[in-house]
Amino acid sequence: MWFKNIKIYRLPEDFTIDTAQLQLQLEAMSFKACQSQEIHSMGWVSPIPQTDSLFQQANQDILFKLKRESKLLPASVINDELNLKVGEFESESGSPMPKKAQKDLKEEITNRLLPQAFSKYSHINGFVSLDKKLVIIDASSDANAEVFLACLRKCLGSLPALPLAKASQQHILTDWLMKDCPADVELLDEAEFQSSADNGGTIKVKKQNLDEDEVLAHIQAGKLVQKLAIAFSDRLTAIIEHDLSVKRIKFTDIVIEQNEDIPKGDVAVKLDADFVLFASEIKSFIAKLENAFELNE
């Protein structure tokens, strides 16, 4: 439930979701396991174990969970058998196997081996904040975030979500390092610098005070801050990237301990309470980012 990475998207002020119809909309794309000849499958599953609902709502926040299955069939296995069959054909016929015949044979081998392939499962979690008009996705890559958005858009019919930051925020992150940080933000001991020149290199700094001359020299040499480790208001630590992706989020004990009194056996209750707490904390953090980077519309 506690997202480790977030990709943040803004929704228009008039966006809404009809929660009375939402279950039916999601059921149209509920997860179904791969059939014998399928390599990939994806669809919605319940965010809360042992429930039928394909979404979880707490106040104005709606949580979704996208499940993906991929069949693991290494190309080397297919190619080894293909090469064996091609060799047998050419030995018997005395002539090379035509390219089209090789392509058809490869497809035949793939289809025959697919039912024996192992399945790999993964999940992408995300939630829509109706009051803040945001989509927040637990993803470390744009590709995974776009998969989540595309699936939700398909079910809802429309999802006009745009990245929170429309341009790189390197200059502001660099100002944080060179000047004063916003209130409630503390710089930690990790950063990444990128040259402002075309095809310039990057420098990573870890476990080092960022106000040391050795570190600041990278900025004086024309580099800009690409990533920056921060702590926010004693609530969480994270890495902020130039596009305002947030990675390696870790909430402090001050936050986590708020739900420690809920019995571990009450799984559904605990997950629901964690979602309420997490959503509140992460929206407060995003509000800070919007103010600090002057992104409020």
Side-chain angles (χ1 to χ4, degrees), residues 63-130:
L63 178 66
F64 303 91
K65 186 172 188 175
L66 185 68
K67 182 175 181 178
R68 297 192 294 184
E69 178 185 7
S70 300
K71 289 292 187 71
L72 299 180
L73 187 55
S76 59
V77 174
I78 298 172
N79 291 332
D80 285 346
E81 183 158 349
L82 176 62
N83 292 334
L84 178 63
K85 296 294 185 182
V86 170
E88 291 175 352
F89 172 87
E90 293 180 347
S91 295
E92 294 174 1
S93 65
S95 59
M97 176 180 280
K99 294 296 183 181
K100 185 179 185 306
Q102 290 189 38
K103 181 180 178 180
D104 292 342
L105 179 58
K106 185 174 183 178
E107 183 176 345
E108 176 189 326
I109 293 170
T110 300
N111 291 336
R112 178 165 49 80
L113 293 178
L114 265 177
Q116 306 170 38
F118 290 102
S119 290
K120 178 182 179 181
Y121 299 96
S122 61
H123 299 88
I124 307 174
N125 296 302
F127 75 92
V128 174
S129 171
L130 294 177

Side-chain angles (χ1 to χ4, degrees), residues 9-12 14-17 22 25-26 44 62 64 126-130 133-137 145-163:
Y9 299 83
R10 196 194 300 277
L11 295 165
D14 61 351
F15 179 82
T16 187
I17 291 177
L22 184 55
Q25 291 173 315
L26 296 174
W44 303 106
I62 306 175
F64 303 91
F127 75 92
V128 174
S129 171
L130 294 177
K133 304 302 180 186
L134 296 169
V135 184
I136 300 160
I137 305 170
E146 289 298 332
V147 166
F148 181 95
L149 290 173
C151 291
L152 192 55
R153 185 179 295 114
K154 182 177 181 180
C155 292
L156 298 179
S158 175
L159 188 67
L162 296 174

